[in-house]
Structure formats: C-alpha cells, structure tokens
Amino acid sequence: MKNEMASSPGATKAHFRVLDGWRGVAALLVALFHLNLYSAIYPLDFVRNGYLFVDFFFVLSGFVITYSYADRLKTLDDWGVFAIRRFGRLWPLHVVVLLAFVAAESAKAVLASRGASFYLPPFTGANSLDTLPINLVFGQSFGLIPHLTWNPPSWSICAEFWTYLVFAAVLVVSSTWLARFRFAALVLVVLILAFSVLILILFSQHGMDASYDLGFVRCLYGFLVGHLTYRLFQVTPKAMLDSRFPELAMLILIVEYLSTAGRGGTSFFAPLVFSAVVFVFAFEAGPVSRLMSNRGNDWLGKVSYSIYMWQAFIIFNFVDRPVSIAEKITGRVLTTTEGVSSALGGEAGKLIVLGGQVLPIVATLLFLVFLVAVASASYYLIERPGQKLFARLAQWRWRQSPASARPVGLAR
C-alpha cells in the first residue's frame, strides 16, 4: 500500500505508517514509566511523566477512527456493526490478560495454603473477585471502584471502548435526526469536548492523571481532540509541512513538555500537545518519518496493544515476584518503599534497587525485550484470531440488516 499523499487538500492515504510506529514507541515508554526498577532512566522527568503517553493513544485513536469510519457511520445499523468490530478489537486480549491475572492469583492461593507468604494475600485488594464483573464489561473507568483493579492499565482500554460508542452515536444522530443542520456533528463534538475539559479541571485531583475515577472523561477529551485534528489534516496541503523543521520541532516539544508537565495544571494541555505531534507526523514528510519508516517500527506499531496490555502482568509476575523470592533466599534487601508512589499499586509499590549502573540498565532492556516478545506472540495467538472472529460476527450482523440500510463498508 502506498504511503505517499497527494498534495491537494482533503487527500487521504491508505495507512499512517509513522503514526503506527509512534504508537509502539509510546507503549514502550508507558511500560518504562510503570517499571519499578531503579536505573539511570527511572528518575528522568521525561519518564516519570510518561503516564501522559496514554493521552497520545487517545488522540491518535480519535484521529485514526475518524479517518477509518467517520464517513461511514450514518445509521443505527452502522453503529451496531461498528460496536461489534471495536469490541472485537479490544475485548479478546483484555479478557485473556484478565484470566492470566486470575490464574496468577490462583497460584498464589495454592502456595499460600502451603505456608507461603506474599506482599498482598491472594484475591484481596485490587485483585478481589467482586471486581471481576466490572472488568469484564469495560466498567473500570467510571469511578465504580475507588482504585485500579486487576490489570491496572486496562482502565484506558475500557474508557476508549465507551468513547468509541459515544463518538459513533454523535455521528449517527447528526446524520439522522439532525441531518438538516450542516454542522451538527461539529457542534456536538465541541460541546462534549468542552464539557469533558470542564469536568477534568473541576474534579481531577492530580491533573490529567485520572484513571479509575475520571478516565472516561479524560479519554473523551483526547479522542475528540484527535477527531478535530484529523479534520484539520484533511484540509491542509502537504506542502505546508514538507520540510525537516516541523518534525524536529515536535521532538523538542515532546521532550520539553513531558519533562515539565507533572500533575498540575500544565498536564491538562497534553491532548493539545499530542494533537500537534499527530498532525505533523501524519504527513510523513520529514527526516524523523524517514528514520521511522522501517519494519522494526512497523512491528512495534502492530503489537503496541499487546505491549500495553501485558506490561503490568509481566512487571508483577516476572519482575517483582522473582525479586521478592531472591530477597527471601539471599536475605539481601533489594527493594525500598521509602518515597515510592506506584502507578500500578499492589506489589509495584516497591522500588527495586539492584545497585550499580550497568546491571539496572541491562535488566531494564531485558524487560523491554521480553515484553515485546510476549506481545508478538500475543498478537498472533490472541489479537488476530479475536479480530477475525468478531469481524465474522460483524459480517453476520450486516447481513441481518435490511438491504436498504446495510452499512456501507463497515462489515469489511
């Protein structure tokens, strides 16, 4: 498929290769943010503010979903088929990772019954059984539970699924009941966007670091900014950004912003900053895009969802627990809780301190390599089969709809 774009306004392209690559890079940076292993990388402000890359995912999703579906969401049947396809994109991997956490807790329960002790008893706190139903129905970003549960990063996936449905509903309503109003969809998007920003500013206690409580509102904000970004991209000639400077400027902007944003008022600008980044790199017109146009980055983009979803499981079970076992066997203290604030909670509330300079960096790199390897297997064994299954369900749903109302292209 071609990656080039015509220079005329409104031209479209088959695939945003560089943006997909950035999705993979962002997923790894979020994993670095969550990794509770002290190294020369850990204290960098750019890494400690890495939670904001979740907003990059939201903005990018709004951009890509608008490109892929916005002009084809016209009826309730369109909405139904779209919902099935998006559910199939997210839920299969979500539920498999959730089951992996349940299996790990079950193993803990067996060992605990034989006298083993753990930082947290099995099936307690964030991993209590009564929170499973809410996780299964994508409900952990509405404040129904006052903390992160099971697979902590999955709050954003849940928020994104419901945001998909709201966005699609806006387009369907604008094309049916409000069809007489030329800018109905734009007005609705702007109103929802403004409401989301207002709610975050008024009620978020830690800036943009909202998850289990206001995660859905945070996602709406980023996603709708991404939607507007694509609309701007549609009408912008490529020649306006056909130089090396915009991309280099975006790199400087990302590093500077992520190094200073923190969790105060400045963090609320994250979707706008990432909107500029997505807009510039969508044109693939500079040296950074050429550098990123390779198979390695293509692959990171493909497996980015699996990278994001497996990170916590690997940290809990292949980083924290082996270190805890090593402490018990050797009697050496390898962790500290002093001054540690964990984004994942649970056993990640400890900071692993191996000592030295080289060993922590090597361990960090090994973690990233292992994570990508697991994600690659997950992509082939879980993501792709799940997508194909729900694509067939969407095709069946499309065939059940009246011929005159069949969604054009959504079942493909």
Side-chain angles (χ1 to χ4, degrees), residues 185-195 224 228:
L186 177 61
V187 171
L188 288 176
V189 164
V190 171
L191 287 175
I192 296 172
L193 175 57
F195 179 74
L224 295 179
L228 296 177

Side-chain angles (χ1 to χ4, degrees), residues 188-208:
L188 288 176
V189 164
V190 171
L191 287 175
I192 296 172
L193 175 57
F195 179 74
S196 302
V197 174
L198 181 62
I199 293 297
L200 281 172
I201 292 175
L202 290 178
F203 297 105
S204 178
Q205 298 181 0
H206 306 286
M208 282 298 284

Side-chain angles (χ1 to χ4, degrees), residues 58 159-160 162-167 170 189 192-193 195-197 200 214-227:
F58 294 153
E160 194 158 320
W162 293 107
T163 297
Y164 289 154
L165 301 192
V166 170
F167 174 69
V170 166
V189 164
I192 296 172
L193 175 57
F195 179 74
S196 302
V197 174
L200 281 172
L214 296 172
F216 173 62
V217 178
R218 177 181 175 184
C219 184
L220 275 175
Y221 173 21
F223 188 95
L224 295 179
V225 165
H227 164 75

Side-chain angles (χ1 to χ4, degrees), residues 128-342:
S128 61
L129 290 173
D130 60 348
T131 62
L132 279 175
I134 290 178
N135 278 263
L136 288 171
V137 298
F138 285 149
Q140 64 264 42
S141 62
F142 297 96
L144 300 175
I145 305 172
H147 52 76
L148 295 170
T149 59
W150 291 99
N151 185 16
S154 69
W155 72 264
S156 64
I157 302 305
C158 304
E160 194 158 320
F161 173 72
W162 293 107
T163 297
Y164 289 154
L165 301 192
V166 170
F167 174 69
V170 166
L171 297 184
V172 170
V173 168
S174 301
S175 298
T176 53
W177 301 331
L178 301 178
R180 70 179 68 180
F181 302 105
R182 184 178 178 185
F183 298 107
L186 177 61
V187 171
L188 288 176
V189 164
V190 171
L191 287 175
I192 296 172
L193 175 57
F195 179 74
S196 302
V197 174
L198 181 62
I199 293 297
L200 281 172
I201 292 175
L202 290 178
F203 297 105
S204 178
Q205 298 181 0
H206 306 286
M208 282 298 284
D209 193 10
S211 53
Y212 61 85
D213 47 1
L214 296 172
F216 173 62
V217 178
R218 177 181 175 184
C219 184
L220 275 175
Y221 173 21
F223 188 95
L224 295 179
V225 165
H227 164 75
L228 296 177
T229 303
Y230 179 76
R231 292 308 187 192
L232 178 62
F233 169 79
Q234 276 187 306
V235 297
T236 304
K238 179 183 176 181
M240 290 185 61
L241 287 92
D242 195 8
S243 73
R244 73 184 65 179
F245 299 109
E247 290 193 350
L248 296 177
M250 287 303 103
L251 288 185
I252 295 172
L253 175 64
I254 292 172
V255 173
E256 179 63 23
Y257 178 74
L258 266 293
S259 297
T260 59
R263 286 169 173 76
T266 306
S267 66
F268 289 120
F269 292 98
L272 303 180
V273 172
F274 289 125
S275 169
V277 173
V278 169
F279 177 77
V280 168
F281 282 99
F283 288 93
E284 301 181 2
V288 181
S289 288
R290 289 192 290 273
L291 185 64
M292 293 186 67
S293 297
N294 57 70
R295 292 183 178 179
N297 277 311
D298 290 349
W299 184 248
L300 279 182
K302 282 185 178 181
V303 302
S304 58
Y305 179 39
S306 283
I307 288 174
Y308 185 78
M309 292 298 283
W310 283 108
Q311 57 174 307
F313 183 84
I314 290 175
I315 290 172
F316 289 151
N317 296 284
F318 293 91
V319 178
D320 287 336
R321 291 201 178 131
V323 168
S324 296
I325 293 171
E327 284 185 314
K328 292 176 181 178
I329 293 176
T330 64
R332 180 184 173 188
V333 177
L334 299 173
T335 59
T336 179
T337 58
E338 185 176 352
V340 178
S341 177
S342 171

Side-chain angles (χ1 to χ4, degrees), residues 1-3 13 15-25 28 89 284 288-305 307 372 375-376 379-380 383:
M1 291 186 292
K2 292 183 178 180
N3 277 321
K13 62 192 297 180
H15 180 57
F16 293 97
R17 184 181 184 185
V18 173
L19 290 181
D20 280 350
W22 273 116
R23 191 195 304 271
V25 171
L28 290 179
R89 178 69 182 93
E284 301 181 2
V288 181
S289 288
R290 289 192 290 273
L291 185 64
M292 293 186 67
S293 297
N294 57 70
R295 292 183 178 179
N297 277 311
D298 290 349
W299 184 248
L300 279 182
K302 282 185 178 181
V303 302
S304 58
Y305 179 39
I307 288 174
V372 172
S376 298
Y379 174 74
Y380 277 116
E383 285 193 67

